[in-house]
Amino acid sequence: MNNPTKGVPQRHPSLFEPATLLLIAVLCVFGAIIGMQLLVSLGITANTSLIGALAAMALARVPLAVFARYRSIHVQNLAQSAISSATFGAANSLLLPVGIPWLLGRPDLVLPMLAGAFFAMLLDAYLLYRMFDSRVFPATGAWPPGVAAAEAIKAGDEGGRKAVLMGIGFGTGVVASFIKIPLAWIGFAGSTAVSGIPMSAFGVAFIGNIWALLMFGIGLLLRGYSGQLFGGPAFANLIPKGDLMAAYIPHGFMIGAGLVALLQVALLLFRRSDAAKAGEPKAGVSDAEVRRALGLGTVGYLVIAVFIAVVGGLMSDMSVGMLILFVLYAAFAAYVHELIVGLAAMHSGWFPAFAVALITLIIGMLIGFPMPALALLVGFSAATGPAFADMGYDLKAGYLLRGNGADPAFELDGRRQQLFAAMFAFVVAGAVVLFSYQSFFDQNLVAPVNKVYAATIKAGVAPGVAWQLFLWAIPGAILQFIGGPKRQIGVLFATGLLINFPMAGWAVLAGILCRLIWEKLRGKSGEGDMEVFAAGVIAGDAIFSFFDSVAKNFKR
């Protein structure tokens, strides 16, 4: 069995070896079906990454020669990469976008939307592959779900003390996920509702940048308690009924923070010192390579935007000038959406893809695009981001399993095989969605967030929205500027504001407190154990969430 830190093998297992390809093909179909079903029934997509790894581990125990290669941690890494790509690809990147035109009574736009979303998804993942291990998206970044997957695979392979720590974390994550807390206990007087404890948020606090996560937690709590905090007469004109979303505050914060983050990335790439140049790791991605990838992305998103406009028949709905504006804005919005989702995912393991797509839609409505263009615009935006983030998680897992880049050639070969696995998974996901979307629509099954997009388009934009977005973009931009590109506190604070889950805010802050105590007691020597425990917590929460979601789906 290969140990990633001792005698790293020179040749990475190939996706295209028959036994590996067969396992991954089955996992991809399973992942795509599960992802779509959970999205339309519960509005969420579970992270199936660990399911793929566990399937490979289980088959490796079968005493037959054909299953022997599944014992390789690198084959298990390919399995977890493929199934998670198929799940997020089929649900978030494909089925969700095509539901928007269907809800708006434009079934003729479904196939153009599906084709455009499919190409955007492929480009999305490929760009992260090209930029992973760069100064923008470093391999040493947090990428918490990736750490959880890698530690789970290593624990199953190596056993020993690490497996025990992982097991304790896993058990903690599962057991705590069963606990339901009445909302009345955490400040919602009179509420009879209960909330589970999001242990992934607790575990992430041990791994990510502590400042970014602190702002994420504060944002979650401000959004969750906005009614109590801002519902009084003092805020009546600024925040009606204490509803931050109704006042477009989270949207404005994300616009300001996102634009500054984009500027920071540009400055990082185009203003660099010789010292930074000399400090690039051998297996790393240079700034020049990142610039080429961004150039490719710019051209790619423009081409896809043109394709969507032409195939969707927008030329008959808009003037030439408005059509050019649509193409430019759609490509730019896809780029910014991808960046924001990627940065949030890298630092916190959470990404506000649905909410950022809504921001894209609102700005498109302010510009004055007609309904068919808005449907395609928000679908295109929603299709970018999830595949980008998931590829980052998977490559982080592979990076850890391959010894943190100890052998640059082996590391690059492994990344390439993971890219092949993801692209294969996306093709399978595309085929599954193509042949099944109509059966979902015939039963009126769409992603719940699609109804929000459709209702927003039908309702139009209220007067004063543009001013509100501009007003709240200013503090978002200032916060992001103060934190700088390494902390991303503006993006993470805005991410928290966009998610209505106060229990997650408490979980993050509790995790940060436990992390500080752990570091105080154990010092630097305890960081490795802390991350293994945290990875176990995240893995336990992911497994619980997956089976809990599946069980709820069968009960419906």
Side-chain angles (χ1 to χ4, degrees):
M1 201 173 297
N2 297 325
N3 186 318
T5 59
K6 294 181 182 179
V8 178
Q10 295 303 305
R11 183 177 178 276
H12 193 280
S14 171
L15 167 74
F16 301 104
E17 290 164 355
T20 302
L21 191 61
L22 177 62
L23 169 67
I24 284 176
V26 173
L27 288 175
C28 287
V29 173
F30 172 77
I33 293 171
I34 288 292
M36 291 190 300
Q37 190 61 39
L38 292 180
L39 181 71
V40 300
S41 58
L42 302 176
I44 61 168
T45 306
N47 189 339
T48 55
S49 175
L50 286 169
I51 301 299
L54 290 173
M57 290 180 198
L59 289 173
R61 269 55 180 178
V62 178
L64 294 175
V66 70
F67 297 120
R69 70 174 300 94
Y70 299 152
R71 295 174 187 166
S72 166
I73 59 173
H74 306 298
V75 172
Q76 293 167 16
N77 177 225
L78 293 179
Q80 60 90 195
S81 300
I83 190 172
S84 64
S85 296
T87 302
F88 282 110
N92 296 55
S93 296
L94 296 177
L95 187 63
L96 188 153
V98 301
I100 301 165
W102 184 82
L103 272 180
L104 290 168
R106 292 296 303 267
D108 56 306
L109 295 179
V110 168
L111 286 179
M113 183 74 265
L114 179 59
F118 179 75
F119 293 134
M121 174 181 67
L122 296 182
L123 179 60
D124 202 30
Y126 180 68
L127 289 177
L128 192 281
Y129 165 76
R130 289 281 300 271
M131 292 189 284
F132 184 78
D133 200 13
S134 67
R135 292 202 294 161
V136 181
F137 293 103
T140 54
W143 304 106
V147 174
E151 293 297 344
I153 292 172
K154 285 197 282 188
D157 178 62
E158 298 171 7
R161 184 170 180 276
K162 183 174 287 188
V164 172
L165 269 175
M166 182 81 185
I168 293 172
F170 185 88
T172 301
V174 171
V175 171
S177 295
F178 273 103
I179 299 172
K180 303 299 179 186
I181 305 293
L183 292 184
W185 291 8
I186 59 170
F188 294 90
S191 175
T192 58
V194 297
S195 173
I197 302 175
M199 291 305 291
S200 60
F202 176 80
V204 159
F206 290 84
I207 298 174
N209 178 280
I210 199 164
W211 291 105
L213 290 167
L214 178 64
M215 297 307 295
F216 177 54
I218 292 172
L220 285 165
L221 292 178
L222 285 176
R223 170 68 190 283
Y225 292 93
S226 62
Q228 290 94 319
L229 294 172
F230 309 113
F235 297 97
N237 293 327
L238 188 64
I239 310 174
K241 298 180 181 178
D243 188 347
L244 297 183
M245 294 296 281
Y248 294 94
I249 293 173
H251 310 77
F253 260 90
M254 185 59 88
I255 290 170
L259 291 176
V260 171
L262 189 66
L263 179 62
Q264 287 171 336
V265 168
L267 291 175
L268 192 70
L269 295 176
F270 291 98
R271 280 179 149 189
R272 52 197 309 266
S273 64
D274 292 336
K277 206 181 269 190
E280 286 172 359
K282 291 181 181 178
V285 174
S286 69
D287 287 354
E289 289 176 276
V290 174
R291 288 195 291 270
R292 285 194 291 271
L294 291 173
L296 172 66
T298 300
V299 174
Y301 282 129
L302 283 170
V303 169
I304 296 170
V306 170
F307 171 81
I308 290 174
V310 172
V311 178
L314 297 186
M315 291 181 293
S316 60
D317 295 315
M318 295 188 288
S319 65
V320 174
M322 189 63 89
L323 189 65
I324 293 172
L325 182 59
F326 170 83
V327 169
L328 294 176
Y329 174 66
F332 176 75
Y335 233 136
V336 175
H337 184 263
E338 177 184 83
L339 174 71
I340 290 172
V341 168
L343 291 173
M346 178 174 69
H347 285 283
S348 72
W350 295 50
F351 53 88
F354 298 164
V356 179
L358 181 62
I359 295 170
T360 300
L361 171 61
I362 291 170
I363 296 175
M365 294 170 70
L366 290 171
I367 293 172
F369 296 134
M371 185 271 285
L374 292 171
L376 295 174
L377 171 68
V378 70
F380 179 38
S381 178
T384 62
F388 191 84
D390 184 63
M391 178 64 83
Y393 298 153
D394 295 336
L395 291 180
K396 173 68 175 185
Y399 176 79
L400 294 174
L401 291 170
R402 290 186 289 268
N404 300 285
D407 182 334
F410 181 67
E411 170 61 25
L412 295 177
D413 187 27
R415 282 187 215 167
R416 193 177 304 110
Q417 293 301 324
Q418 283 187 266
L419 175 69
F420 293 157
M423 292 300 167
F424 176 79
F426 291 144
V427 171
V428 172
V432 171
V433 173
L434 178 63
F435 289 108
S436 62
Y437 78 85
Q438 192 63 54
S439 64
F440 285 108
F441 293 169
D442 289 343
Q443 302 172 67
N444 288 319
L445 291 173
V446 295
V449 73
N450 282 354
K451 297 175 183 178
V452 176
Y453 296 146
T456 302
I457 292 172
K458 291 176 181 177
V461 178
V465 170
W467 170 249
Q468 285 291 99
L469 292 176
F470 172 76
L471 180 69
W472 292 107
I474 296 170
I478 293 171
L479 193 60
Q480 178 66 17
F481 176 77
I482 292 171
K486 289 186 178 180
R487 293 189 179 92
Q488 298 293 336
I489 61 175
V491 170
L492 268 292
F493 180 70
T495 298
L497 290 179
L498 286 165
I499 300 172
N500 188 16
F501 198 178
M503 187 61 77
W506 290 118
V508 170
L509 295 186
I512 290 174
L513 179 61
C514 292
R515 171 179 175 172
L516 293 173
I517 294 171
W518 190 313
E519 290 176 344
K520 182 73 173 175
L521 295 175
R522 297 288 307 279
K524 287 285 184 182
S525 62
E527 287 186 2
D529 289 348
M530 182 177 70
E531 290 194 358
V532 172
F533 170 79
V537 172
I538 296 170
D541 180 79
I543 292 295
F544 174 86
S545 298
F546 173 77
F547 286 107
D548 184 54
S549 300
V550 171
K552 286 178 180 175
N553 183 54
F554 278 113
K555 289 177 184 177
R556 289 174 69 90

